[in-house]
């Protein structure tokens, strides 16, 4: 698997973050089952609630290009300890996978390996809508 390439792309994406308000830069890189890599960074806005996380930018870029099946998500931050996706992003990830491997990295080379099941063990799933 192209694990190292995906990690590098997440770090590159982090350096493109537009985060003038929080100064907290996040990068994401998403490897699709078809072998493509989609990147994202957080993009903030003066109307703070209009800001979007790096993970969702990467996922939405992939989905908008017709890719729905993912192999690996890498999230890069500049924190001392690698930092996990927020709750909204966990929900968005779980829309597309119930077992996606997720690697959290920082610039110092620390790595935490997890997956969406561990980060969101009891998700709200689209199947629940069938019970209406
Ligand atoms: N952020 C992300 O991009 N991903 C996360 O999982 C956590 C938070 C961004 C949102 C905001 O631009 C900044 O980090 C501080 O919350």
């Amino acid at each position: 698997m192209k694990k190292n390439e995906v990690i590098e792309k997440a770090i590159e994406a982090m350096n493109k973050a537009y985060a003038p308000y929080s100064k907290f830069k996040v990068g994401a890189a998403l490897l699709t089952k078809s072998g493509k890599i989609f990147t994202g960074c957080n993009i903030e806005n003066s109307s703070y609630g209009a800001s979007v996380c790096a993970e969702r930018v990467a996922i939405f870029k992939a989905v908008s290009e017709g890719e729905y099946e993912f192999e690996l998500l890498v999230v890069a931050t500049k924190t001392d300890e690698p930092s996990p996706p927020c709750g909204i992003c966990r929900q968005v990830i779980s829309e597309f996978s119930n077992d996606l491997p997720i690697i959290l990295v920082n610039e110092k080379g620390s790595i935490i390996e997890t997956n969406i099941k561990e980060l969101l063990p009891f998700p709200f799933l689209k199947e629940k809508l069938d019970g209406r």
Side-chain angles (χ1 to χ4, degrees), residues 32-126:
T32 67
K33 289 216 164 142
S34 63
K36 292 180 198 152
I37 300 172
F38 289 86
T39 59
C41 60
N42 53 328
I43 304 170
E44 299 184 344
N45 193 276
S46 58
S47 175
Y48 293 176
S51 303
V52 64
C53 293
E55 296 89 328
R56 274 176 287 149
V57 171
I59 293 168
F60 294 163
K61 279 170 72 177
V63 170
S64 67
E65 296 291 326
E67 297 284 344
Y68 308 92
E69 294 190 331
F70 309 129
E71 189 101 15
L72 172 67
L73 174 68
V74 176
V75 181
T77 51
K78 292 174 184 271
T79 44
D80 271 355
E81 282 296 309
S83 180
C86 80
I88 297 174
C89 290
R90 293 178 196 202
Q91 177 65 27
V92 170
I93 293 163
S94 74
E95 178 75 17
F96 299 101
S97 174
N98 54 22
D99 61 0
L100 184 70
I102 300 175
I103 298 179
L104 315 172
V105 301
N106 66 9
E107 284 180 311
K108 295 191 301 186
S110 306
I111 290 185
I112 296 173
E113 301 209 33
T114 182
N115 58 68
I116 191 56
K117 204 173 268 173
E118 186 173 55
L119 294 181
L120 190 60
F122 192 35
F124 181 78
L125 294 172
K126 50 187 174 293

